[in-house]
Each structure stands twice: as C-alpha cells, then as structure tokens.
Amino acid sequence: MRNKGAITLLTIALALVSAYQLFFTFKTSQVEKAAREYANGDPVKERAYLDSIANQNVYNFLGLAKFTYKECKELELPLGLDLRGGMNVTMEVDVVDVVKSLANNSQDPAFLQAINEAVTMRTKSPKDFVTLFGEAFARIAPNAQLASPDIFGTVEMKDKIKVGASNKEVLDVIRKEAEGAIDNTFNILRTRIDRFGVAQPNIRKADISGRINIELPGIKDAQRVRKLLQGTAALEFFETFENSEFYPHLAAINEKLRDIEITGDILGLSKDTVQVTTVTEEVAADSTDEGIDALLKAAQDSSSLSNDEAAFRKQNPLFALLNPAVAQNGALRPGSTVGYARLKDTSAINAMLALPQVKSLIPRNARLYWEMKPEGDFLAMHAIKITTRDGKAPLDGGVIVDARKSFDEQSGGSPVVSMNMNGEGAKVWARMTKENVGRCVAIVLDGYVCSSPVVNTEIKGGSSQISGHFGVKEAEDLANILKSGKLPAPARIIADEIVGPSLGQESIQTGMWSFIIAFALVLFYMLFFYSKGAGLAADIALLANLFFLFGILASIGAVLTLPGIAGIVLTMGMSVDANVLIYERIEEERRAGKGLKLAIKEGYKNAYSAIIDSNVTTLLTGFILYYFGEGPIKGFATTLIIGIFSSLFCAIFLTRLILDRAASRSESVPFTTKLTQNWLRDPKFPFLKKRKISYVLSGTVVILSLVFLFGKGLDKGIDFVGGRTYTVTFDRPVQVEEVAGSLAEVYGSAPEVKTFGGDNQVRITTKYKIDAEGTEVDDEVETLLYEGLQQYLPEGTSREQFLEVNRQMSEKVGPAVAEDITRAAIWSVVFALIGIFLYIMVRFSQWQYGAGAVIGLAHNVIIVMGAFSAFSGILPFSLEIDQAFIAAILTVVGYSINDTVVVFDRIRETIGLYPKRDRYQVINDALNSTLSRTFNTSLTTLVVVLCIFILGGSTIRSFTFAILLGIIVGTYSTLFVATPIAYEIQKRKINKKAAEAAK
C-alpha cells in the first residue's frame, strides 16, 4: 500500500481529535458526578453546585487552552431527549398571517380568495406558501396588480414596493419579508430559551419553511414551556431612572432585609404561598420553589464563608448579592444600571424583591428589569420608569418600520443599529428623546433589557441610531429583535413530545447494555471465525471505528438519540462486511498459491469494487433518510452516514496497515481457524435451478402481505394521522379495555389504549380537540387525562404529581405535521428506490441489474409491511407505523442492496474475465463464491440487531423488529429473488441476440 506514512498520520490525527472532543464529555461527567455526591439527592443543592462552578476552569488542554464547566458542557456529546428526558417542540410561524399583515389585512376579494386557495394547495404541494399564493392570484385575477393600494401598495410598504411594480417583484419582496419574519421569530424564541436554564437547549429551523424545532432537556413543566414559547413578543421602549436616583431605594431595601429573619416561613409565609417573581418577569412566576430555595440558600448557606464575609452578608442581605453600580472611585455610575449580580444569585434577589415588606419600598412608577445578555458571569439590573397611567410602555415595537445593522464612521466604524419608525412612532420618539437628553432609554423585549442607549439629542423623523458596546453579531441580533415588532408572526406549537426522566434513564441503561453486549459478540465472532491474526486486526479496526465515530459526532455537535445508538450498532454490524469481503478475497488468493504479501495486496485490490458499490448504495439510503427525516430519524441517518465513512477508513486502511506489518514479520498470519477454514467453500448449491420454487414461495408471501395491507391495513401512529399520545405508568397492572372506558367518559369517545412494555404501562392515543390551538387546550386535554385515570392512581395523587411521575411520555402531532410526515415518508422510499436503480444501472452498464435489485427491494418492503399488518395486535409489543418504521424500511433497503450488489459485482468481474462463459453458470458460481461472505455478514448483523431487539427496551422494539425481518428477507431475496430475476431479464436479451445472429 502506498502512502502508509500519510495514512498513519491521518489515523493519529483522527485519534487525537476524537480524544480531544470526547474529553469534554468525560470532564462534564466528572463534574456532574461530584455535584451528585455533594448534593446527596437534593436537586437544589446539585443545581447550586453546578451554577457555582459554571465559569470555573475544569479542563486544561495540554496547557494550551483552558475551558470552564459551561464551555465543556457546550462542547460535550449531547444526548437526545429519549436518553435523558425533557421536551421536544415543533413550532410553526404561520406565513398566512404574515402575508395578510403585509397587505394590512386587505379585504380585496381576489386577495382573500387567493389566500384561501393557497392554504388548500399547500397541503398537497411542496412549494412555499408565497409561490402558491402568487399562482392562485394569477389564476383568479390575471390582470390585477398586487402593488395596488388595496393590497400590498400600503403606506407601510411604500419603501419596499415601488408604484407599478410587477406581481413577480411584489412576490419577491413578500417572500423576503416572510422569511425575515420567520428569522425574527426564531431569534425571539432563542432568547427566551436561553433563559430556561436547561443544559444544552437546541433550537434549529426545520427543512419545512416556517417550522422551528426546539429541544429542552430536563424540562418538566410543559405548561410553562408552552405558555412562554407561544406568547407574543413584547417589544417596548421605556424611560429610565438614573442610578443616583434609585440607589436610595436599594439602600432602604437592604436595611429592611437586614431586619427580616429569612427562615423556612419567611415571616409567616410558607414556601408554597410566597409569590416569587422577577418583579416584572412572568416566566419566573411559575418557579416559586426554585426562587425560595435560592433565597433560603443565599441566607443560610454560609458554611463556606469567612467570618468577615458572613458578617457582611448578615448586615447587607441585598448588597451581598447585588453589587451596586459604582465606579472605581466609589461614585455611582451614570445610566440606568443600578447593580450587577452573579447569574446564580438572580433567583435569590428576585425572591427578596418580591417580599411584601420590600415591594412597598419600591416606587410605584418603577420596575426592575434584568438585562438580556450577561457580561461573563454577571447580569445587570436596570431601573425602568413608568410614565403612563395604565403602566404600559409609551412606545412599542409596532411602530418599527425597519431596523438594520450598520457602521458608524464617526466612531471608527463601530457597529450600530439604524431604525426607522412610522409617523405615529416618530412623534412619540421625538418627545421621549427630547425629555431624556443625557439619560438612558431602555429597549425591552419580553421583560428583559436588550439595550439602554444614552440619548444625546432630540431625534425627529423617526430615524435614529442605537450605539453601544456590542459587536457585529450583537448589532445584527438587536436589529432582528427590533424588526420583530414590525410583523405579527406568532409561532404556534403544532407538535410536542415530553419524555420523562425515568423513561430516559431506562433508555440509557437498556440502550447501553444492548450496545455493549452486541459489540462484544461481534468482537468475539471475528476472533472465532478469522482467528487471532486477521480477526484481531478486524477487532482493532472496529474499536477504532467506534472511537472515531463518537469523536466525529461530538465534533459536529450531533445529538445522540436511541435510534442513533441503534444506527451505531447497525453500522458496527454492517462494517464487518468490508472486512469479510477483504478476508474472503485474500483467502481465495492464498488458495491459488500466492504468497501472503501478494495475497493481501491482491485481496484488497479485488475487494475494493464490491466494498465501494455496496457502501455507496447504503449511503444513498442514508442521505435520503437524512434529507426527509426529522428529529430522531435524522440522528439515525447521521450516525449511519458517519459510521459508513469511518468503517470504510478503518476496514480499508487501518487493517491494511496492521496486516502489512504482520506480514513483514511472518508468513504465517492466519485468516481462518480449523473450524472455519472449509466453511461454505465452493458449496455448488443450484440457486438458479431452484428459482421457480422461490418465485412461488415469494409470490405467495407477497400476495398474502398485500391482502393484509389492503384488508386489515396498517396500525398508523400519530406521526401519520395526528393526535396526542401519552405513555402512562401505574403502580399495578391495568386492563386496557377498562382504561379506554374510563377515558371515554371524559373525552366523549374512547381513545386507543395499548399495553406498552409491561402490563402496568399503557400508551393512550386521542384526537380530542387536535385541531384546536392554544395552551389552554393542551392543559384541558391533560387535565381530562388525569381525571379519567384518577381511579387507577394512588389516593391523593395530584394532577402535578401525575404529570411528573405517572405520565412518562407525551406527544402531540398536528394534522399538518402528519400530512408532511406522510408525504416525506412516501417520497423517501420512492427516491431511495429510484436512486439505487439509477446507480446500479450506470455502475453495471445494464438496466437489468437495476431492475432485479429494485424488484428484490420492493419484495422485501412489501413483506416487512405485510408482517406488520398481519401481526399487529397479536405480538406483545406495538407495531405502529411511525417515522422510526420508515427509518427501518430504508435501513432494510440499504442493507438488502448492500448484499445484492456484492453478488452483482462478482458476476460482472467473472463476465469480464470469461465473456464467453455461459451466463447461467457465471451467476450460479457468483452466488456460491460469495455465500460465505453473505452468511458471515448476515449472521453478525442479525446477532447485533437481535441483541438490540431483546435488550434495547420497548421504545425501539418495533424499529428493531422491522430491521430483523428485513435482514432475513433481504438475505433470502439476494439469493433467490433479485439475482434470479436479473438473470431472467438478461436471458431474454441474450436469447434475442442469439436469434438475431442465427438469422
């Protein structure tokens, strides 16, 4: 092998990068283990411990770079919700509302009709809504102009849409504005999510326009999440107090708190009744326990303080946590900032300021707001002045016409934000700036201060610049926030999923055990079949592959889910195939009398074609799955794709380095054992002779499958039909019929109830009010669920206890999402089959091979789906058709084609060497010569998936069952369906040519 040095260096580099990336995960696990030991089961103490070291260095990389715990947490390998619990939300910005808003809610009949038609069309078309609207409008009013004053030619849009602009130009502007509205909503949601305090929140735009996917690990209060995420963004402009004006009030509060003994009751008020708020922030009003716990901890946990520090804290309860905004000379700083606090102390300060005795000391026209973004570990507090009778801001985001990032040339090109207001806003803004020259004006979003610029002079005309100590990215974010007030682009939850932490912990344990046992079985099998020589080289490559795979996943920030673990284990099983192909080829060369070094060289050379072809077809499936899939399915595809690349590198290059080194030392490197050296060597089984029997057998099974599919149908999960699903665990066995009857009384009709896992756990699916929107609807459905199941719960179980303990998982999928998933599932399978057909046709230069492969794949898919239909409700686990099932089907497609292409490759090679040899004999010999490889690959993969099926837990049992069936049917199909059919089609062509030649 050439370039051994380069391969060695690349291997070392991959190992170092993987070790570097995975060490972040190792360090965070160390810190979190120490936190658990310190807390001794107290979640408040554990959270406080982690907060206290969030900005402390815990990882020193070779003395070159230091990383805090917070930074390590951001760089660790993230786990999906199914592995640690939490909430997954899919939100949608309704572009219809945006378009209507841009037209100032026009009542033009053609406009309204086009909107309605576009709404109907988008359920059946992949085109974006603006395009569909334009097509509908052109049909309804072919001579009408969208730029007319009655539609988009409004005063607000005059700067964007010129008089007489064509419909195409108008649609381009509308599309850009709609995309901007989605971007702005995305930024708003991101800033809200950052305040949840969850570890590694994940928010990203979905492939479908207007969709936003959000993952919140560890979240338990789903009601709070829904309320916060669906709230309309409130952008406001306030006048402020000067720090010097407000300091006396803080001093008075500090003195008052000195007289209050903070105990478990806090002056007679119990922990359950004290309303803890951030004084103004609605979000934290739901976090009563958290705020009180922080307050008590701040007051009582002084064991680690020195005597002087403890005395200062006792004399200055507020100022010990909130540092007044003073300069180095001791003078109060100018501006609206009145103090700074560590992030971990903000909850305690909120609790102090919410005490009734303290509230009376805060002026009635004052509010205290935290700043949106911290500076390091500190967060600034601002004093806001209320100047209106109703307490509302004198100016809100609705007056913003445009906002953009720009640069101030007078200050050396520093980033600034330029904004324009409408006429009404310009008048109020002129008055506010005139009355506050030399003072700050606060820009507030959702109760947090985004910016508090100093007014230098009266600003007329509504055009102004906001400058501050922010970079280019911060200026861009602020511009987006200001623009968010311009368009009403509410985001509504169209799907959500809640995974309880106990279910997540179960998934981790079962998933990891299935992974470890499956991996150990593969390592043992390779040693058993290929001996300590070649088998050990393959095991080293498998270990390296696993190490590289996790390292790459950590490097790109991929989220590891339970289907992702299944993808890794499946990749591991399939990666054996490359080693098997190579070793079988080396053995052929050695049996031909070649020396070890030459046999290794020729074995690798002859195996490359089959390895590349089989893996490219599997990659096609992986890429299609990644493109069409969402959430866990995309995670499965990610691990599959990365795993194929890493396994190819390890199998082709790493094992070659090991074997070449071993061959240079000895000529007796074993590739088989005494038990396996003659296993399936030249079996001479008459596959083609038996093809008619296989046709009858396969035809019968396919017909039966179709009968079940069209007769009984498939048990479609909510991914395809929409609805709400809840997984509920009881402390005793329950009967599904009784549970369904109890829920029918509260829902009006019986939901679908199935046993899920054990007989004390059920999965409940209902379509009750699935078309209705709003957090109150979600709350109503959950309340009715609790009421309907109350008789099966321990006496005294509250609704909150039920939702936190018994409800292990919940999932909501709206009708629009179900339609999109159904469409994506169909297209993913169709495109996979078309892509494979085209690749094989081009690669093998004959369409007959592609036809045989696709017929074989269709055969496999129909049988697997037929089995799901036939055994649904019979087997003791769910056989619902969901996104995971589509992933399984495409995995079956990828695995089957991998198997088939190896045989086709051997046929092509033999024909190239012996073009005049009888085609019947060539194909039969190819099937026999690759039988050992087919058996080894299928057996190792089957053992791996069987291990996951048995040990992997109920959440992926349906998924692994489909793959298990697919491996068995796919292996059979390669030998008795796909290859014989390709022969039948080729035979007709050969016979036709022979007949023509005879003439």
Side-chain angles (χ1 to χ4, degrees), residues 568-772:
I568 292 173
V569 176
L570 182 62
T571 300
M572 180 184 64
M574 293 176 66
S575 68
V576 172
D577 183 52
N579 288 119
V580 171
L581 283 169
I582 292 168
Y583 291 171
E584 292 296 322
R585 284 291 196 165
I586 292 174
E587 272 298 290
E588 288 180 14
E589 299 299 329
R590 294 190 75 180
R591 287 198 300 271
K594 295 180 181 178
L596 179 59
K597 291 182 180 178
L598 183 59
I600 291 174
K601 180 181 177 181
E602 292 296 324
Y604 274 88
K605 179 182 176 181
N606 294 332
Y608 286 154
S609 177
I611 291 172
I612 292 171
D613 286 334
S614 60
N615 281 277
V616 166
T617 49
T618 307
L619 272 177
L620 278 174
T621 305
F623 282 125
I624 290 169
L625 193 61
Y626 183 85
Y627 181 79
F628 285 101
E630 285 294 339
I633 307 308
K634 187 161 283 189
F636 172 80
T638 301
T639 55
L640 183 64
I641 293 167
I642 295 173
I644 288 173
F645 280 113
S646 61
S647 64
L648 279 176
F649 173 80
C650 293
I652 293 175
F653 297 111
L654 194 56
T655 57
R656 181 71 182 275
L657 287 175
I658 296 171
L659 292 176
D660 281 350
R661 185 173 180 82
S664 66
R665 294 180 175 181
S666 172
E667 278 286 331
S668 61
V669 177
F671 281 80
T672 58
T673 64
K674 291 182 179 179
L675 291 174
T676 61
Q677 61 183 353
N678 295 317
W679 177 255
L680 294 178
R681 304 294 182 193
D682 197 22
K684 297 187 184 302
F685 186 85
F687 287 101
L688 292 184
K689 187 177 180 180
K690 305 290 184 181
R691 67 186 186 278
K692 291 183 179 179
I693 298 174
S694 65
Y695 292 163
V696 173
L697 176 62
S698 293
T700 302
V701 177
V702 167
I703 291 171
L704 285 173
S705 298
L706 292 173
V707 168
F708 276 107
L709 287 171
F710 287 105
K712 183 180 179 181
L714 293 166
D715 182 13
K716 296 179 181 178
I718 67 168
D719 285 349
F720 293 102
V721 297
R724 289 180 174 87
T725 290
Y726 302 95
T727 300
V728 181
T729 300
F730 304 96
D731 58 357
R732 59 185 175 86
V734 294
Q735 297 294 323
V736 293
E737 295 82 5
E738 294 179 5
V739 173
S742 301
L743 291 172
E745 296 178 8
V746 294
Y747 285 137
S749 61
E752 185 180 81
V753 182
K754 302 176 184 175
T755 301
F756 187 75
D759 55 5
N760 67 327
Q761 185 168 273
V762 297
R763 174 174 281 181
I764 301 163
T765 302
T766 176
K767 289 189 177 182
Y768 180 76
K769 289 191 176 182
I770 190 60
D771 291 317

Side-chain angles (χ1 to χ4, degrees), residues 386-414:
I386 305 302
T387 57
T388 59
R389 291 183 178 181
D390 57 6
K392 294 182 180 180
L395 203 62
D396 62 34
V399 303
I400 302 294
V401 175
D402 190 26
R404 62 197 176 279
K405 174 195 69 181
S406 57
F407 298 92
D408 186 6
E409 301 300 333
Q410 296 181 355
S411 61
S414 59

Side-chain angles (χ1 to χ4, degrees), residues 342-404:
R342 291 186 181 276
L343 291 170
K344 67 185 182 67
D345 294 330
T346 55
S347 293
I349 295 170
N350 294 337
M352 290 179 181
L353 297 176
L355 293 172
Q357 302 93 319
V358 172
K359 277 187 175 182
S360 62
L361 300 177
I362 300 175
R364 295 176 63 85
N365 66 333
R367 294 179 189 170
L368 294 172
Y369 284 170
W370 292 107
E371 196 159 298
M372 182 171 287
K373 292 186 177 180
E375 295 180 14
D377 193 30
F378 286 86
L379 201 62
M381 176 178 277
H382 295 261
I384 304 301
K385 182 184 290 186
I386 305 302
T387 57
T388 59
R389 291 183 178 181
D390 57 6
K392 294 182 180 180
L395 203 62
D396 62 34
V399 303
I400 302 294
V401 175
D402 190 26
R404 62 197 176 279

Side-chain angles (χ1 to χ4, degrees), residues 477-543:
D477 288 345
L478 180 55
N480 287 330
I481 287 169
L482 291 172
K483 283 195 293 185
S484 68
K486 179 184 59 173
L487 290 174
R492 68 179 190 276
I493 295 175
I494 56 174
D496 67 48
E497 178 184 10
I498 303 168
V499 180
S502 59
L503 193 62
Q505 188 61 35
E506 177 193 353
S507 298
I508 292 176
Q509 292 173 348
T510 57
M512 288 308 298
W513 273 113
S514 68
F515 177 83
I516 292 169
I517 293 173
F519 190 64
L521 288 172
V522 172
L523 295 179
F524 172 77
Y525 182 81
M526 294 304 287
L527 282 174
F528 165 77
F529 201 92
Y530 291 106
S531 79
K532 62 181 181 180
L536 184 60
D539 284 352
I540 293 172
L542 282 171
L543 288 165

Side-chain angles (χ1 to χ4, degrees), residues 667-970:
E667 278 286 331
S668 61
V669 177
F671 281 80
T672 58
T673 64
K674 291 182 179 179
L675 291 174
T676 61
Q677 61 183 353
N678 295 317
W679 177 255
L680 294 178
R681 304 294 182 193
D682 197 22
K684 297 187 184 302
F685 186 85
F687 287 101
L688 292 184
K689 187 177 180 180
K690 305 290 184 181
R691 67 186 186 278
K692 291 183 179 179
I693 298 174
S694 65
Y695 292 163
V696 173
L697 176 62
S698 293
T700 302
V701 177
V702 167
I703 291 171
L704 285 173
S705 298
L706 292 173
V707 168
F708 276 107
L709 287 171
F710 287 105
K712 183 180 179 181
L714 293 166
D715 182 13
K716 296 179 181 178
I718 67 168
D719 285 349
F720 293 102
V721 297
R724 289 180 174 87
T725 290
Y726 302 95
T727 300
V728 181
T729 300
F730 304 96
D731 58 357
R732 59 185 175 86
V734 294
Q735 297 294 323
V736 293
E737 295 82 5
E738 294 179 5
V739 173
S742 301
L743 291 172
E745 296 178 8
V746 294
Y747 285 137
S749 61
E752 185 180 81
V753 182
K754 302 176 184 175
T755 301
F756 187 75
D759 55 5
N760 67 327
Q761 185 168 273
V762 297
R763 174 174 281 181
I764 301 163
T765 302
T766 176
K767 289 189 177 182
Y768 180 76
K769 289 191 176 182
I770 190 60
D771 291 317
E773 298 176 8
T775 56
E776 65 281 355
V777 177
D778 297 320
D779 294 342
E780 178 190 350
V781 178
E782 289 181 346
T783 300
L784 291 176
L785 178 72
Y786 163 68
E787 292 174 357
L789 298 178
Q790 202 164 12
Q791 59 182 300
Y792 306 101
L793 303 173
E795 188 175 350
T797 301
S798 66
R799 176 183 182 274
E800 289 69 27
Q801 289 173 326
F802 165 74
L803 294 178
E804 184 172 339
V805 179
N806 300 92
R807 185 200 60 183
Q808 293 294 303
M809 184 175 180
S810 76
E811 185 178 4
K812 169 191 171 185
V813 177
V817 178
E819 289 176 3
D820 292 333
I821 291 173
T822 302
R823 184 165 55 243
I826 294 171
W827 281 116
S828 61
V829 175
V830 169
F831 277 123
L833 295 176
I834 293 173
I836 288 168
F837 171 77
L838 292 175
Y839 177 81
I840 294 177
M841 183 181 71
V842 172
R843 188 72 175 90
F844 291 90
S845 303
Q846 291 187 26
W847 66 268
Q848 291 88 349
Y849 287 110
V854 170
I855 290 171
L857 294 178
H859 162 274
N860 303 342
V861 170
I862 290 170
I863 290 177
V864 172
M865 294 180 68
F868 265 63
S869 175
F871 295 115
S872 177
I874 298 175
L875 294 178
F877 52 87
S878 172
L879 289 180
E880 279 188 356
I881 306 300
D882 53 14
Q883 288 192 79
F885 176 78
I886 300 303
I889 286 294
L890 287 176
T891 302
V892 169
V893 168
Y895 179 84
S896 301
I897 199 62
N898 180 297
D899 216 19
T900 303
V901 164
V902 171
V903 177
F904 286 177
D905 190 83
R906 180 60 67 95
I907 295 170
R908 179 184 57 182
E909 179 187 342
T910 307
I911 292 173
L913 295 174
Y914 310 102
K916 294 184 179 181
R917 184 175 290 182
D918 179 61
R919 190 62 54 90
Y920 180 96
Q921 190 62 42
V922 168
I923 293 177
N924 214 64
D925 288 347
L927 287 167
N928 279 282
S929 62
T930 57
L931 191 58
S932 176
R933 172 260 159 210
T934 300
F935 173 82
N936 282 329
T937 302
S938 297
L939 182 62
T940 51
T941 312
L942 192 69
V943 167
V944 167
V945 178
L946 185 62
C947 188
I948 306 173
F949 174 75
I950 296 171
L951 302 174
S954 57
T955 53
I956 59 169
R957 189 150 289 149
S958 172
F959 173 74
T960 49
F961 179 69
I963 297 177
L964 207 60
L965 278 177
I967 292 171
I968 297 169
V969 176

